Amino acid sequence: GEDVEQSLFLSVREGDSSVINCTYTDSSSTYLYWYKQEPGAGLQLLTYIFSNMDMKQDQRLTVLLNKKDKHLSLRIADTQTGDSAIYFCAIGAAGNKLTFGGGTRVLVKP
Amino acid sequence: GAVVSQHPSRVICKSGTSVKIECRSLDFQATTMFWYRQFPKQSLMLMATSNEGSKATYEQGVEKDKFLINHASLTLSTLTVTSAHPEDSSFYICSARDFGGGTDTQYFGPGTRLTVL
């Protein structure tokens, strides 16, 4: 089955850019997603990218997809304290069945 | 984005009782909903795929007789944890699939924290 890996933790200073990385194994995915989870809450869809795209930008968020290396990244520009959360990448298979990475805990320091 | 609600947000029950969790898509119709379980500091584990008007598809290792799923309408799926035990205590999250018009996305509910005493 699909295997999705993320680094566990990222610390960043307020105002800097954050880059969260994700690697996966299944190259047949059509959609790849980034979700944000705050403590005790559900998942909030941040953005997604089609597998035939290399990059997608949405305000402070930039998603890069390297299909050859099976690498997905999320860049958050001008990181704010409200961006502190756990970020999950998710890879979509047939029927939109998602496989999640383990999540990256982002801590934004003032 | 689309809105998905869950009810209740938190429930505490005694061992042996059954608990029903509702998942509703508020502003779109969802023929497919998903149920996940999340342990502390861990990722989401897919339990089952709920399809409107048909039987749910369970992931390997998930007991279908213990976790009953009903998807009776295009906006509502329910998960019933039957004869709950302390090991069933967890954070249960549902999602609804928004498919069509060039998109294929899951929108998640806020989760239900179940504590079994």
Side-chain angles (χ1 to χ4, degrees):
Chain A
E2 175 78 83
D3 189 24
V4 183
E5 299 285 338
Q6 293 179 244
S7 53
L8 286 177
F9 184 74
L10 175 66
S11 178
V12 62
R13 291 217 172 271
E14 190 175 15
D16 290 348
S17 292
S18 309
V19 179
I20 307 166
N21 294 300
C22 173
T23 58
Y24 58 97
T25 55
D26 186 357
S27 59
S28 64
S29 306
T30 305
Y31 294 81
L32 302 96
Y33 306 85
W34 283 103
Y35 286 91
K36 176 184 179 182
Q37 186 179 35
E38 299 188 50
L43 272 67
Q44 174 194 355
L45 177 67
L46 291 178
T47 186
Y48 62 92
I49 189 168
F50 295 106
S51 60
N52 61 358
M53 298 168 65
D54 298 323
M55 186 194 83
K56 179 180 180 182
Q57 185 165 2
D58 184 1
Q59 299 182 333
R60 292 192 297 125
L61 304 178
T62 303
V63 180
L64 295 178
L65 174 61
N66 183 327
K67 287 193 70 177
K68 175 175 171 290
D69 294 339
K70 298 178 187 173
H71 182 267
L72 181 73
S73 68
L74 174 69
R75 178 178 179 268
I76 305 173
D78 187 25
T79 311
Q80 303 297 308
T81 54
D83 294 326
S84 292
I86 300 176
Y87 291 80
F88 292 96
C89 68
I91 311 302
N96 200 240
K97 193 170 169 180
L98 299 182
T99 301
F100 285 85
T104 299
R105 184 176 298 273
V106 174
L107 177 63
V108 182
K109 297 181 178 179
Chain B
V3 179
V4 175
S5 70
Q6 267 183 257
H7 177 80
S9 58
R10 184 181 293 266
V11 58
I12 300 173
C13 68
K14 292 182 179 179
S15 188
T17 60
S18 294
V19 175
K20 180 186 282 189
I21 304 169
E22 292 186 349
C23 179
R24 293 181 186 273
S25 57
L26 298 185
D27 50 4
F28 68 101
Q29 293 183 328
T31 55
T32 304
M33 292 185 175
F34 300 88
W35 287 95
Y36 296 85
R37 185 171 178 178
Q38 186 178 33
F39 292 102
K41 299 189 188 303
Q42 293 189 25
S43 188
L44 279 73
M45 181 191 79
L46 178 64
M47 298 174 67
T49 303
S50 170
N51 298 298
E52 188 266 338
S54 65
K55 290 184 179 180
T57 304
Y58 290 82
E59 294 300 300
Q60 193 172 7
V62 177
E63 299 176 59
K64 62 180 181 181
D65 294 330
K66 180 165 185 62
F67 298 99
L68 300 179
I69 291 172
N70 184 282
H71 193 153
S73 78
L74 288 172
T75 58
L76 173 64
S77 175
T78 61
L79 169 69
T80 301
V81 183
T82 62
S83 186
H85 287 92
E87 58 266 30
D88 299 324
S89 297
S90 191
F91 192 55
Y92 292 88
I93 308 177
C94 73
S95 71
R97 184 185 183 192
D98 185 9
F99 178 54
T103 188
D104 191 355
T105 306
Q106 287 185 36
Y107 293 96
F108 283 78
T112 297
R113 172 115 10 234
L114 170 63
T115 303
V116 185
L117 302 177

